[in-house]
Amino acid sequence: MNAPVIAIDGPTASGKGSVAARIAAELGWHYLDSGAIYRILALAGLQRGFALDDEEALAALAPALDVKFDGETIRLDGADVSLDVRRETTGNAASKIAVLPAVRAALMARLRAFRQSPGLVGDGRDMGSVVFPDAPLKIFLTASAEARADRRYKQLIEKGLPASLDSLVQELRERDARDAMRAVAPLKPCEDAILLDTTLISIAEAVAFVLRHARQRG
Ligand code: C5P
């Protein structure tokens, strides 16, 4: 039998990463930050001088990526890219390559391989709709663009990375539009997802909400 999955999807900076990581820790399950995989592929493509719309080259690169996750540290071809992966420029590049159907198809096996016993908490845009459609629990997190920009601003400043609140609101809106309008795996809650708006609640409250649902099903 397949290991159980909790799929947590939502727009950028909706809190899904923090919520998913804490739930995985709480349950002792594996954790998949699928956005990081798109970010790493974008970074690897840029390092090789590929254009962000070069679907064939990027799709060919996807299965060959040499990536290692070691706690908070991410290594690409042996080099520590943890900070580069978190830059807004990398997130924007990731959302450009994420519109390419062959790239999404090429990453599928990599993403599904994270599903291992005793269970997986996966966060992204299409965890519940495409990658793990049989996940017993699907959550869709939202929050206002302003609340999300504010959170992202604090995360970036904390990491010592450059950030401007005004341009973050603008970029989040552009990224949301690109993620929602694309033809393949667009960002939208699937029918069997439970919606949670995190604009006015804390991460701890969101975690408690998801754990309640997980235990009800468990
Ligand atoms: O979640 P994060 O902001 O790190 O994701 C970066 C970009 O990767 C997103 O804007 C989205 O375009 C893409 N992505 C995706 N499907 C996923 C995860 C991320 O298309 N499951």
Side-chain angles (χ1 to χ4, degrees):
M1 206 180 75
N2 278 334
V5 174
I6 298 178
I8 304 190
D9 290 305
T12 196
S14 54
K16 62 190 184 326
S18 316
V19 170
R22 286 195 206 180
I23 288 167
E26 188 81 25
L27 297 174
W29 287 13
H30 301 279
Y31 169 53
L32 164 62
D33 170 1
S34 64
I37 308 283
Y38 282 88
R39 286 166 180 262
I40 291 163
L41 180 58
L43 205 57
L46 288 171
Q47 283 174 355
R48 285 161 177 79
F50 298 167
L52 292 175
D53 60 356
D54 190 339
E55 187 163 7
E56 207 178 315
L58 289 162
L61 181 58
L65 277 184
D66 174 13
V67 186
K68 295 214 168 44
F69 293 93
D70 181 10
E72 294 271 292
T73 308
I74 302 173
R75 291 188 188 282
L76 173 61
D77 300 323
D80 183 350
V81 293
S82 321
L83 262 191
D84 288 333
V85 164
R86 291 294 145 215
R87 287 181 200 279
E88 273 313 279
T89 45
T90 310
N92 288 325
S95 93
K96 289 184 182 152
I97 67 158
V99 305
L100 306 170
V103 166
R104 302 197 74 84
L107 284 177
M108 191 67 84
R110 243 196 146 94
L111 297 174
R112 288 190 171 146
F114 281 83
R115 182 176 201 168
Q116 282 175 23
S117 182
L120 175 71
V121 185
D123 84 65
R125 305 294 186 291
D126 61 346
M127 296 290 96
S129 56
V130 178
V131 183
F132 305 111
D134 62 334
L137 178 58
K138 301 177 185 178
I139 306 283
F140 194 89
L141 293 187
T142 55
S144 71
E146 288 73 18
R148 291 187 288 123
D150 193 53
R151 280 181 202 155
R152 181 50 55 83
Y153 179 79
K154 287 181 184 141
Q155 284 169 353
L156 290 169
I157 296 296
E158 226 169 72
K159 288 193 155 67
L161 290 170
S164 134
L165 198 52
D166 285 348
S167 43
L168 274 172
V169 176
Q170 177 66 22
E171 281 167 16
L172 282 190
R173 291 214 163 100
E174 281 167 20
R175 185 120 71 95
D176 285 353
R178 194 157 48 227
D179 287 353
M181 307 298 277
R182 69 183 176 216
V184 184
L187 171 70
K188 65 166 191 310
C190 38
E191 268 173 24
D192 48 350
I194 300 168
L195 261 73
L196 178 64
D197 189 325
T198 66
T199 306
L200 298 173
I201 66 168
S202 66
I203 295 294
E205 285 169 308
V207 168
F209 174 92
V210 178
L211 281 175
R212 237 180 1 256
H213 281 277
R215 291 191 172 124
Q216 273 167 15
R217 269 150 227 247

